[in-house]
Amino acid sequence: MTKTRIPYVGRIEILEMIPFPLLPPLPMLNDAVFSVGQETKEVQIQGLTVRYDGAKIDLATNILVFTGSITAQYDETVIECSQLELRLDEQTGRAAGGVRLTDPAILLECDSLEFDWKNHTGEAFEVTVEAGGMTIRAQSLEIRTESWFLRKARATLSRRDKPEYELLADRVTIYPGRYGVAESVGLLLFGAKLGWLPSMRFELDPRVTGWRMPSFADRRGVGFGLSWDTSLMLSEKFSAYGFWNTFPSVFPTSGLQLTLSNVNPNSVYRKLVPRSDLLERISSSWFDNVRVKSPEREYQNLRDPRLSFTVGTLWNQQTDARAVEIDSVSNQFELVLETVGSRAGFGLSASARLERIRADSSSNWLDRAELLTTVQTPPVNLGDSLRLVARIDGFGTVSANGGYGWVRGLVGVIYNPSPSLTLGVAYANTGSWGTPDFPFDPLVFPTSLHVRADFVSGPYTLRYLVRYDPTSQTVFDTEYEIALAAESFEPYILFREFPSDFRMGIRFRLGPLRDRLSRRKTERDVRVIN
C-alpha cells in the first residue's frame, strides 16, 4: 500500500483514469492523504480517518460519499456504517446503515447519525447506548455544544431483551460535569407503570452530592435514627454542605460548611468538603484501609489538585478510630485551608484549621490552630514487579495549653506477581511531643506492622488486610472485602475491625457512565460522533 499527498479529490474514485491536472482543486482536501491498495482504501482528512470500499465526489456541491464497509475513526472513537456522506464546505456529515459507534467508555448503535465536526455537535436517531452496565434507549440523542438532549428515553441495568424494569423519561437534558434534568419520569416494572414525577434533577458534578432525601441509618452503639446530608454548588467555585442526624439517647448532630475552591473546576474530581479531623486519621492509605482499592488509587488521591477555603459550624460530632470515642464534639466555628497536589513527584495533602472547639456541652470552648498533613514519596522500582513506597502523616496543634503533635512514617514493599494479584507488607512508627488538648488527638497505635493481599480477576474481588501492634503483640485490626460482579450488579461484604465497620449490600456498576457524565469538558464527549 502506498500513501500520496495530493490536492485533488478526484483521485479517490478515478485514480488511474483521469490525470490529476484535469480535475479542479478542492481546498477542503488540500491536506488529505489517500492510501490505495488491492483490498482497502483509506483517506485522512481533518483528523478523521476513513477506510472504505467505494467512494465518489460531487464536484458541484463538494459532497464526498463513501459506500460499502466503512470504518471512520476520530481519536479513540470508531464509527462503523454502510454509508457515510461528508459535506466538505459545511464540515458536516451523515452516517447511515447499521451505525455502530465504539468509544473507550460507551457503545452506541443507531439508525442514522448527523454530525458537525467543525462545531462538535450532532444528533443520532433510534439510539441504543451501553455504558457502565446500563442500557439506554432513546428516540433521539442530540449532542449540543454544552449539553446532551434525549427524547423518549428508557434506561435499565437489566440484560434481558425484555427488561424486568425500566426508568422512563419523556425528555432528559444532561449538562456534563454539572447536572441533569429528567422530565415526566416514571418506573416501568414488569410492564406496569409505577409512580410518576413531573421532573427530577440529578447532580453530575463530582465535587458535590446534590440534593438528598433523609434516610434511615444505624449508628454503632446507639441504634436506628434519621440521617441527612446534602452538598450543592452555589456557583462555579462556591459550594454549601449541610448535615443533620438524630438518634435515640444522644444529642442531634448538625453542621453547615461553605467552601470556596480556587482550582479550575475541570481539574477537580473529589468532593469539596474538607477532610475531617475527627474521623479516621489515615483513611487514604492502602496499607491502612481495605476500602482504598489499590496503591494507584492512593497515589492519585494525593495528587489530584485541590485548593479550598472553608468556613463552618458543626455540633455534637462523633469521633472515629480513637482510643476514647466521643459523640458530642462541637466546633462553634472553624476556618479551614485545604490543599492537595503533586510537587516533584511527591504527593502532598494538608489541611490547616483555626477552630473554637469543645469535647462536650459541659466543657469550656478552646481556641486552637491545627495542621493535618500527608507527604507521599514517588514509588521506587526495585525490579521484578517490586516497588518500595513510603509516606509520612503528621498532626499538630497550638493552643493556650501549649503545643502537641505526632508524626508517623510508613515504609512498605508492594509486589505484583501477576496482573490480578497485589501483595504488600509495611512497617509504621510514630513519634510525638507535648500534651494533647483532648483524648482524641493522639494516634491509638503508634507502632504497627501491616500485611495486605488483593486479588481482582474478572468478576471476583478479594481484599484482605491485617494490622499488628508489636508493642502489645496483638492483632488490632483485620479487614476484608469480598465482591462478585454479576452483570451490572456487584454483591459485596466489607468488614473492618478498627475502626468498626460492617457492610453488606449490592453495588450498581455504573463507573464508566458516571465518570463520563461527570467530566465538565465535553470536547471528547462531543467528538464521539464526528
Side-chain angles (χ1 to χ4, degrees):
M1 179 179 291
T2 60
K3 289 191 176 183
T4 309
R5 184 173 296 276
I6 61 172
Y8 306 114
V9 72
R11 187 175 178 179
I12 294 176
E13 187 175 17
I14 45 182
L15 176 66
E16 299 177 355
M17 296 176 61
I18 301 178
F20 303 159
L22 298 183
L23 295 175
L26 297 174
M28 291 298 299
L29 289 179
N30 278 346
D31 293 324
V33 177
F34 297 89
S35 303
V36 179
Q38 293 181 348
E39 298 180 356
T40 62
K41 303 172 185 177
E42 180 180 299
V43 59
Q44 298 175 11
I45 175 173
Q46 299 177 349
L48 187 68
T49 300
V50 183
R51 298 176 185 88
Y52 60 94
D53 290 335
K56 59 183 179 180
I57 181 75
D58 186 331
L59 299 177
T61 60
N62 225 7
I63 295 178
L64 181 60
V65 177
F66 299 97
T67 57
S69 177
I70 301 168
T71 300
Q73 183 168 354
Y74 187 97
D75 198 4
E76 296 181 74
T77 300
V78 178
I79 299 174
E80 299 171 83
C81 59
S82 59
Q83 183 173 339
L84 179 65
E85 179 182 288
L86 301 180
R87 297 178 285 274
L88 303 176
D89 290 339
E90 303 170 7
Q91 290 186 260
T92 61
R94 182 178 187 274
V99 181
R100 180 184 175 92
L101 181 149
T102 55
D103 182 81
I106 68 171
L107 167 65
L108 183 149
E109 295 179 340
C110 59
D111 286 351
S112 61
L113 187 66
E114 297 279 352
F115 56 90
D116 182 329
W117 75 81
K118 178 180 180 181
N119 297 313
H120 309 308
T121 59
E123 187 169 12
F125 301 92
E126 299 302 326
V127 177
T128 299
V129 178
E130 293 185 9
M134 178 175 284
T135 300
I136 302 174
R137 295 178 175 87
Q139 190 179 82
S140 64
L141 166 62
E142 182 180 352
I143 296 184
R144 306 166 180 171
T145 304
E146 298 293 338
S147 63
W148 297 10
F149 181 70
L150 295 95
R151 295 180 181 87
K152 300 295 182 181
R154 310 164 69 99
T156 183
L157 290 166
S158 174
R159 293 293 187 182
R160 296 176 180 267
D161 293 335
K162 294 182 178 180
E164 307 91 333
Y165 67 93
E166 288 182 295
L167 288 173
L168 312 177
D170 280 352
R171 297 156 57 95
V172 181
T173 305
I174 296 173
Y175 301 91
R178 298 169 61 194
Y179 65 93
V181 177
E183 302 176 36
S184 297
V185 183
L187 173 64
L188 189 67
L189 183 62
F190 295 106
K193 290 184 179 179
L194 302 177
W196 204 263
L197 294 173
S199 67
M200 182 178 69
R201 171 172 168 147
F202 48 95
E203 289 293 330
L204 296 170
D205 195 322
R207 301 173 297 169
V208 292
T209 63
W211 180 264
R212 290 177 170 176
M213 298 297 292
S215 61
F216 289 101
D218 181 19
R219 183 164 166 180
R220 186 177 68 251
V222 176
F224 284 92
L226 283 176
S227 178
W228 171 84
D229 71 284
T230 285
S231 58
L232 300 169
M233 295 303 303
L234 304 180
S235 68
E236 281 291 290
K237 295 186 177 183
F238 190 52
S239 74
Y241 169 68
F243 66 90
W244 177 81
N245 306 304
T246 179
F247 293 89
S249 305
V250 296
F251 291 111
T253 300
S254 60
L256 175 65
Q257 293 176 307
L258 302 175
T259 300
L260 176 65
S261 173
N262 200 35
V263 174
N264 187 328
N266 295 326
S267 303
V268 181
Y269 304 101
R270 301 287 183 271
K271 299 293 184 287
L272 291 183
V273 178
R275 180 181 179 186
S276 173
D277 60 333
L278 298 179
L279 299 181
E280 185 178 355
R281 292 292 194 194
I282 309 173
S283 60
S284 65
S285 167
W286 183 75
F287 277 111
D288 288 272
N289 189 344
V290 76
R291 295 180 64 186
V292 179
K293 302 302 183 185
S294 65
E296 290 73 25
R297 180 71 62 88
E298 173 189 357
Y299 183 89
Q300 194 60 44
N301 284 343
L302 289 170
R303 285 160 178 79
D304 286 340
R306 274 172 284 172
L307 176 61
S308 63
F309 306 87
T310 299
V311 57
T313 180
L314 309 116
W315 296 85
N316 302 315
Q317 301 172 90
Q318 183 181 25
T319 60
D320 196 17
R322 303 296 200 274
V324 178
E325 299 289 7
I326 300 176
D327 59 12
S328 55
V329 181
S330 296
N331 290 67
Q332 190 177 65
F333 74 84
E334 66 173 8
L335 300 175
V336 187
L337 168 62
E338 184 174 54
T339 180
V340 179
S342 178
R343 299 290 185 277
F346 287 78
L348 305 175
S349 172
S351 58
R353 255 181 189 81
L354 294 176
E355 60 183 358
R356 177 166 291 173
I357 186 173
R358 69 182 185 190
D360 53 59
S361 58
S362 62
S363 303
N364 294 325
W365 292 103
L366 176 68
D367 295 329
R368 70 175 185 174
E370 175 189 297
L371 179 65
L372 186 61
T373 185
T374 299
V375 178
Q376 185 191 54
T377 65
V380 178
N381 187 4
L382 301 178
D384 295 328
S385 303
L386 200 64
R387 290 171 287 166
L388 178 69
V389 297
R391 64 180 278 162
I392 298 173
D393 295 273
F395 172 80
T397 63
V398 176
S399 68
N401 298 330
Y404 171 75
W406 52 259
V407 174
R408 188 190 86 151
L410 179 144
V411 177
V413 175
I414 298 174
Y415 177 51
N416 291 101
S418 70
S420 59
L421 184 61
T422 304
L423 306 174
V425 60
Y427 176 78
N429 196 12
T430 306
S432 62
W433 64 92
T435 302
D437 294 321
F438 301 102
F440 51 77
D441 284 341
L443 277 182
V444 182
F445 299 99
T447 305
S448 54
L449 180 66
H450 309 239
V451 178
R452 178 160 176 175
D454 287 7
F455 176 78
V456 181
S457 179
Y460 305 102
T461 296
L462 175 61
R463 297 184 172 94
Y464 188 77
L465 170 65
V466 173
R467 294 191 288 174
Y468 174 79
D469 178 15
T471 303
S472 62
Q473 298 184 349
T474 59
V475 173
F476 67 88
D477 180 34
T478 300
E479 305 183 12
Y480 62 82
E481 180 184 13
I482 303 172
L484 176 63
E487 294 185 346
S488 55
F489 299 95
E490 188 177 48
Y492 73 96
I493 297 175
L494 186 144
F495 172 80
R496 302 186 70 200
E497 185 176 354
F498 184 83
S500 179
D501 189 10
F502 176 75
R503 305 182 186 200
M504 181 171 60
I506 296 176
R507 289 186 288 239
F508 295 108
R509 307 179 71 206
L510 300 177
L513 178 62
R514 182 192 61 239
D515 293 344
R516 170 165 288 277
L517 295 180
S518 294
R519 300 177 192 172
R520 295 184 62 83
K521 287 190 175 181
T522 61
E523 286 87 345
R524 277 286 294 123
D525 298 310
V526 173
R527 288 175 182 174
V528 161
I529 61 171
N530 285 357

